[in-house]
Amino acid sequence: MATVPPIVYSFRRCPYAMRARLALAAAGQTVELREVILRDKPTAMIAASPKATVPVLVLPDGTVIDESLDIMRWALDRNDPEGWWPDDVGLRAEIDALIAANDGAFKNALDRYKYPDRFESETIDGREQRDVAGAYLVSLDRRLGDGGWLVGGRPSLADYAIVPFVRQFAHVDRSWFDAQSWPNLIARLDRFLVSERFATIMVRHKQWKNGDPVTLFPGPAAERAL
Ligand SMILES: N[C@@H](CCC(=O)N[C@@H](CS)C(=O)NCC(=O)O)C(=O)O
C-alpha cells in the first residue's frame, strides 16, 4: 500500500523554507510540496499553523512542525547520510551558536539592510545595518578558510541552515558583496549556487490550490536541471 508523504507548505525564495528543503533533500525525505504565495496563504496551512509562516511540515498523523530548524532536525533525525549533525558535543554547540547568531542579530540587520522601508517606526541607516551583518559574514569567512565548511572541516547543519541567508544578503547588491574581502564566503556561496542540491530545491512550482494533483519533492532528477 502506498504511504502518504508528509506535506510541506513552502515558498521558493524564502530562506527559511530553502533551508528546510535542503535538509529534506539531504535526508532523501519525500514530501508533498505545496507552493505558497505569502499574500494568499492557503486556509489549510493557516489551520495547521495559525502563526502562518513558511515552512510548515504536516506529518500524516497530524503533527505540525512549523519552525524551519525543527524541520531540518526532524529530517536529519530520520536520516542523515551526509553527517550534518555530528556526534561531537563541542561541534554541536558551535553549530547551534552560529545558527543562533544568523537567526538573531544577522537576520535582524539583513532585513533592515534589504527592506529599510518596512521599518517605519525605526530610523534605519542601511549602511550601518550592512556593516553589522558584514561583521558576522567576516567571522563566517574566517571559519570557511579552514577547508571550506563552517564547522569541523565538513558539511554540517550550520552550512545549510545559514547559506540561504548569505545568498539573500549577497543579492541585495551582488557587486558590493563581491568587492568585499571575504573570498572564502564568496567561493562557498558560488559553489552552493551551482550545486545539484541548490537546483533540486529551487525547482519552480505554481501556487498550490486545494484539489491540485500531488507534487512530490524532491522531484525526478530530470526536473532539476537548471
Ligand atoms: N522562525 C520561522 C520564520 C519563518 C518566516 O518568517 N518565514 C517568512 C517568509 S521568508 C514568512 O512566512 N513570513 C510570513 C509572511 O510574510 O506573511 C522559521 O524558522 O520557520
Side-chain angles (χ1 to χ4, degrees):
M1 199 177 82
T3 50
V4 180
I7 295 165
V8 171
Y9 294 93
S10 177
F11 171 50
R12 182 173 175 272
R13 286 186 293 115
C14 167
Y16 297 101
M18 285 172 63
R19 62 157 56 146
R21 298 197 305 275
L22 284 166
L24 292 166
Q29 173 65 56
T30 300
V31 296
E32 176 185 346
L33 188 104
R34 296 183 173 179
E35 183 70 15
V36 168
I37 308 270
L38 292 177
R39 65 184 141 69
D40 184 20
K41 292 170 189 158
T43 320
M45 178 186 127
I46 298 169
S49 174
K51 81 179 168 81
T53 59
V54 288
V56 177
L57 175 74
V58 184
L59 300 181
D61 71 1
T63 304
V64 175
I65 306 179
D66 62 6
E67 281 294 319
S68 56
L69 259 185
D70 294 339
I71 296 173
M72 295 186 88
R73 292 186 189 285
W74 174 85
L76 298 176
D77 275 352
R78 288 171 69 88
N79 190 22
D80 185 11
E82 297 172 20
W84 286 13
W85 188 238
D87 291 331
D88 184 276
V89 175
L91 295 180
R92 288 183 173 190
E94 282 183 50
I95 292 170
D96 284 342
L98 280 173
I99 297 174
N102 178 85
D103 290 14
F106 175 70
K107 177 64 170 151
N108 189 283
L110 165 58
D111 285 345
R112 284 159 179 76
Y113 166 47
K114 183 168 181 183
Y115 310 108
D117 300 343
R118 284 195 196 167
F119 298 88
E120 280 167 12
S121 58
E122 301 174 28
T123 315
I124 305 279
D125 180 337
R127 281 200 183 181
E128 204 174 287
Q129 296 299 325
R130 187 182 69 187
D131 292 346
V132 170
Y136 171 74
L137 295 179
V138 167
S139 74
L140 295 186
D141 180 71
R142 291 215 185 95
R143 286 181 157 272
L144 290 167
D146 186 18
W149 300 102
L150 288 172
V151 176
R154 45 165 301 128
S156 77
L157 178 64
D159 297 283
Y160 291 98
I162 290 170
V163 71
F165 297 86
V166 176
R167 171 181 176 272
Q168 195 178 39
F169 180 95
H171 284 194
V172 178
D173 184 349
R174 185 71 216 230
S175 52
W176 182 86
F177 182 84
D178 284 340
Q180 303 313 298
S181 55
W182 42 48
N184 304 312
L185 187 67
I186 294 168
R188 174 81 228 113
L189 177 62
D190 286 342
R191 280 198 301 277
F192 174 65
L193 295 178
V194 299
S195 67
E196 166 79 9
R197 181 64 47 76
F198 181 69
T200 299
I201 68 149
M202 293 306 276
V203 171
R204 286 173 199 278
H205 298 283
K206 65 176 180 34
Q207 179 185 15
W208 176 80
K209 298 274 188 202
N210 203 2
D212 278 354
V214 169
T215 297
L216 292 179
F217 170 89
E223 197 194 325
R224 291 178 216 155
L226 277 177

